[in-house]
């Protein structure tokens, strides 16, 4: 298992240079099947937010509703590795289960995550994308644009539009693209500004991934609408903190 203690400097350097990194065995092999079943159960029981416009089933803040998923979202190994890669104290932003149903025929087009979030003073957000099943290219693995995390000036992109990111930043279409298939229990970490996409699921099995998103502890609210913060009556400039956003690491 990869831990913060055996995480190599090469991995840290790769992440900071490229905006993403692949990490093997972030959770134990004996835990994977239970977490996968818990995610599928949450998919059956939780309202589909449809944020992906049919591209995937998305369920946000599942850790507040499922004890099993809370164990994964707040897994100390995930938080410790994220903190070491980001190089700054972190707190949880939110988690989400993303499931691509079999033969969904819909890619998740290139985009950055952070423009969707109501965050200011947040230079080092980091997401852990955990494969809860084997995710070959044919099942919906991710492709990254190395170095694109340095583009901090872009507005939100459309996950359903293959040209959305590149219309905003034409130079990015010439970046190298690195595709990262994952075995169950492996993960990638990516910066909130690292552009990425996921292929359609062409297989007979659902693609099941759990994503844990962290933000620097100093992150403040910038006033944008977001499903997580809309009910909280935050004022612009407030630090995003409290029981829903526990400190980790």
């Amino acid at each position: 298992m990869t831990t913060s203690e055996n995480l190599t400097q090469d991995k840290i350097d790769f992440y900071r240079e490229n905006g993403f990194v692949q990490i093997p065995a972030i959770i134990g092999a004996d835990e994977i099947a239970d977490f996968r079943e818990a995610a599928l159960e949450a998919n059956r029981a939780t309202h589909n937010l449809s944020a992906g416009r049919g591209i995937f089933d998305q369920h946000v803040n599942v850790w507040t509703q499922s004890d099993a998923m809370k164990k994964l979202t707040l897994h100390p190994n995930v938080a410790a590795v994220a903190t070491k890669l980001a190089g700054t104290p972190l707190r949880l932003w939110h988690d989400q289960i993303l499931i691509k149903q079999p033969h969904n025929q819909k890619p998740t087009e290139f985009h950055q995550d952070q423009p969707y979030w109501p965050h200011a003073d947040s230079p080092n957000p980091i997401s852990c994308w955990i494969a809860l099943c084997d995710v070959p290219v044919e099942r919906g693995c991710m492709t990254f644009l190395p170095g694109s995390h340095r583009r901090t000036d872009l507005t939100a992109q459309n996950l359903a539009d293959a040209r959305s990111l590149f219309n905003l930043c034409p130079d990015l279409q010439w970046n190298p693209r690195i595709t990262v298939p994952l075995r169950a229990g492996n993960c990638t970490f990516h910066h909130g500004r690292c552009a990425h996409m996921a292929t359609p699921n062409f297989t007979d099995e659902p693609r099941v991934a759990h994503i844990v998103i962290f933000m620097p502890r100093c992150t403040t609210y910038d006033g944008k609408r977001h499903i997580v913060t809309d009910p909280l009556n935050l004022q612009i400039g407030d630090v995003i903190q409290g029981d829903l956003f526990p400190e980790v690491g």
Side-chain angles (χ1 to χ4, degrees):
M1 180 182 290
T2 301
T3 68
S4 61
E5 286 75 26
N6 63 28
L7 182 69
T8 66
Q9 188 61 46
D10 284 349
K11 290 286 190 183
I12 297 170
D13 292 344
F14 187 94
Y15 172 80
R16 295 182 185 175
E17 175 65 22
N18 295 284
F20 75 96
V21 68
Q22 180 180 1
I23 299 292
I26 195 67
I27 58 174
D30 57 335
E31 302 175 281
I32 295 167
D34 289 342
F35 285 136
R36 179 178 183 275
E37 182 51 41
L40 290 171
E41 175 58 31
N43 191 44
R44 291 188 287 265
T46 307
H47 176 60
N48 183 2
L49 301 174
S50 300
R53 303 178 182 85
I55 298 169
F56 43 63
D57 298 343
Q58 179 187 32
H59 308 290
V60 173
N61 270 346
V62 183
W63 75 279
T64 66
Q65 305 155 28
S66 164
D67 288 341
M69 297 312 297
K70 180 177 182 179
K71 182 180 177 183
L72 180 54
T73 294
L74 301 182
H75 198 296
N77 198 45
V78 172
V81 173
T83 300
K84 198 162 185 179
L85 290 170
T88 191
L90 300 172
R91 66 173 75 247
L92 180 68
W93 165 225
H94 67 75
D95 69 357
Q96 57 186 0
I97 296 168
L98 295 180
I99 296 177
K100 280 194 178 235
Q101 296 295 342
H103 302 284
N104 78 324
Q105 305 300 319
K106 294 181 179 180
T108 311
E109 300 293 358
F110 276 112
H111 66 282
Q112 300 171 311
D113 294 331
Q114 194 177 39
Y116 288 95
W117 302 334
H119 292 180
D121 308 308
S122 186
N124 296 300
I126 184 170
S127 297
C128 182
W129 198 101
I130 306 168
L132 298 183
C133 63
D134 288 345
V135 186
V137 174
E138 296 80 11
R139 190 164 288 145
C141 77
M142 293 214 290
T143 296
F144 298 92
L145 299 183
S148 54
H149 62 302
R150 297 185 183 90
R151 293 305 308 260
T152 61
D153 57 330
L154 303 181
T155 55
Q157 303 106 42
N158 183 348
L159 278 64
D161 181 353
R163 293 299 310 167
S164 181
L165 173 68
F166 303 123
N167 286 339
L168 287 172
C169 186
D171 287 350
L172 284 179
Q173 66 189 315
W174 306 110
N175 273 40
R177 304 179 184 191
I178 298 181
T179 299
V180 186
L182 296 173
R183 288 285 195 178
N186 294 354
C187 76
T188 54
F189 284 87
H190 67 270
H191 188 282
R193 286 279 179 172
C194 184
H196 55 282
M197 64 87 65
T199 52
N201 183 0
F202 297 110
T203 73
D204 296 332
E205 300 292 330
R207 188 215 68 187
V208 187
H210 187 63
I211 296 81
V212 187
I213 308 171
F214 304 100
M215 58 185 172
R217 293 182 189 176
C218 60
T219 300
T220 59
Y221 179 63
D222 73 1
K224 286 201 297 285
R225 297 293 303 275
H226 192 279
I227 190 171
V228 172
T229 48
D230 285 352
L232 302 181
N233 298 314
L234 292 173
Q235 301 299 309
I236 292 175
D238 286 349
V239 175
I240 302 175
Q241 60 185 335
D243 292 343
L244 197 59
F245 313 104
E247 295 181 358
V248 300

